[in-house]
Amino acid sequence: MPDSIQPNLLILDEVDSTNTYAREHFDDLPDGTLVVARRQTAGRGRRGRSWLSPPGINFTGSILLKRLEDGFHAGCLLGVAALSLLRELAPELPAYLKWPNDIYVEDRKLAGLLSESARIENGRVTAVVSGIGINVNLPSDALKAIDQ
């Protein structure tokens, strides 16, 4: 059950994965809804990799994009948008996009993105769930437990 819901913002106390939740509730949530979790127990990245996210430390969220003419490149656009926002908020950071789904600062991974098609019509992706996990305050002992 959601902790908090506002138009286009759903904040969950705990969830396995924001992308999984968004896909499972896709028909019930409005276009543009951002699903955020305080704690994600089974976050994941590309190729089945897990995303470590201790409670209250990182940002994990997924957005539903339901009305796309052609959503094939939606994940790439999310990466560019996230990098653009980071450069606006913290221009001193030497951030870059490791194409197509990771944001790095120098040699450290700051964020990972995962986009999944949610609807395909006439051979085109017309709806996408795009998630982002951002390492905001991960302690050094937790950093040692991950490979990036």
Side-chain angles (χ1 to χ4, degrees):
M1 191 68 172
D3 239 15
S4 165
I5 188 165
Q6 298 173 22
N8 290 11
L9 177 62
L10 176 62
I11 302 171
L12 304 172
D13 187 43
E14 182 176 298
V15 69
D16 54 354
S17 156
T18 57
N19 262 33
T20 299
Y21 184 94
R23 288 175 55 86
E24 289 174 352
H25 296 86
F26 186 82
D27 292 330
D28 303 324
L29 297 170
D31 183 38
T33 297
L34 177 63
V35 178
V36 176
R38 290 186 180 95
R39 180 168 190 254
Q40 195 171 241
T41 60
R44 56 193 167 80
R46 285 182 22 159
R47 299 183 186 134
R49 293 182 179 125
S50 62
W51 182 267
L52 177 65
S53 186
I57 300 291
N58 297 327
F59 174 84
T60 54
S62 299
I63 190 166
L64 286 80
L65 304 171
K66 292 186 170 191
R67 294 180 276 170
L68 302 172
E69 188 173 313
D70 186 352
F72 182 74
H73 295 101
C76 298
L77 293 173
L78 177 65
V80 171
L83 181 61
S84 177
L85 180 63
L86 177 60
R87 287 182 172 164
E88 182 180 320
L89 296 175
E92 72 282 0
L93 292 179
Y96 66 95
L97 183 62
K98 181 181 170 214
W99 199 255
N101 65 323
D102 293 326
I103 296 177
Y104 276 73
V105 173
E106 296 177 345
D107 64 342
R108 304 299 296 186
K109 186 172 178 176
L110 175 69
L113 302 115
L114 177 65
S115 293
E116 302 175 291
S117 58
R119 184 174 52 230
I120 299 174
E121 297 172 347
N122 300 321
R124 290 189 324 200
V125 176
T126 59
V128 171
V129 171
S130 288
I132 186 167
I134 305 172
N135 291 324
V136 180
N137 294 307
L138 206 57
S140 59
D141 59 328
L143 284 172
K144 293 175 186 169
I146 58 178
D147 65 352
Q148 299 174 346

